Amino acid sequence: MTARQHLTAPKHPAIAEHRYHEARILVVDDQAANVRLLEVFLAEAGYHHVEGMTDSTLVLERMDAGPLDLLLLDMRMPTLDGLSVLHLLQEAIHQEGLQVIVLTAQAERETRLAALGLGARDYLVKPFDTEEVQCRIRNALETRFLNQDREGEAERLEELVTRRTEQLIETQFELMRCLARAGEFRDSDTGSHILRVSVGCHLLAQAAGLGRRQVELIRYAAMMHDIGKIGIADEVLLKPSKLTPEEFEQIKAHCQFGVDILGDYYADVTQMARDIAFTHHERWDGQGYPRGLAGEAIPIEGRITAIIDVYDALTSARPYKSAMPAEDALAIIRDGAGSQFDPRLVAHFIAVFPEFQRQMRQFNHH
């Protein structure tokens, strides 16, 4: 066959011409003369990266060395014939998009059909017609590049969706922070409490081995644990002295108020916040409120928040009490293991207590 200087097949307007010239092509034929003939022809036709080999057992080694766009594969070879090579290249063909054109003799119809069934894109019959070679190679590479472009566009769209989703989630979290701060505005601690509870719950959730997603969610959801206090009258919520039994009953209603305020929304962070708001005053022994849940019937997010919330309340100054020293508050948490608190979580809290104190210092909390 005679080599041509330029490709004569129709050009696809969406694919830049240089991509064809830079295509990585491998010719495999046990006859060195056939390999050399195709190498010279393809080089003169404008392809810059053409390799040839006569030993088909080296094809996989070459695939490991770097990607290929097109394989021109002879069918009749000793040791490892073309069909055997195709069997070995199934992943590269069907998952990585490798294009294969098999080289066969006119009489090898069954072999051609078997090769096409194994994923070969096309075939060339010996002796080769130069225009046919050009067109079939061009078509195979066009398919390769269009598939790459579609995959690239799919990845770009997936990245865009991921970025927009992250922005939406961050917006949800920011709205939660704003709503939580609104709830704390009525308290003298004006927001520091929700931040301390958020950081403490995040740390304890990590120590307890919760999944990465749960650990991240609780950082934000725990901020909403007392959002229901918005519904409590000022004269009860801000009372500077000890509450009467009747007033304490009013305070207990903030758990249900929290559920009502957060609503029945589908977002994961909202669902977790609702569970925390409703259950962070339940006790391990079933003596808590509002439902008297016990043990693992209490969601673990509620059990975690219960420990951090009580510790922070003990160590915070209020109009009706002074702040308790950290070691005394830790002793109360330790003594409450198995009665008020999940004993396993208490053990985790004690284990991370030095780190917990270090993180609390950023709030200048005394």
Side-chain angles (χ1 to χ4, degrees), residues 273-306:
R274 192 164 52 245
D275 286 342
I276 289 174
F278 194 58
T279 65
H280 70 287
H281 285 294
E282 298 288 1
R283 292 172 50 110
W284 184 256
D285 59 10
Q287 299 303 305
Y289 66 87
R291 292 183 58 195
L293 299 177
E296 293 188 357
I298 308 167
I300 191 167
E301 297 87 357
R303 285 178 269 149
I304 288 172
T305 307

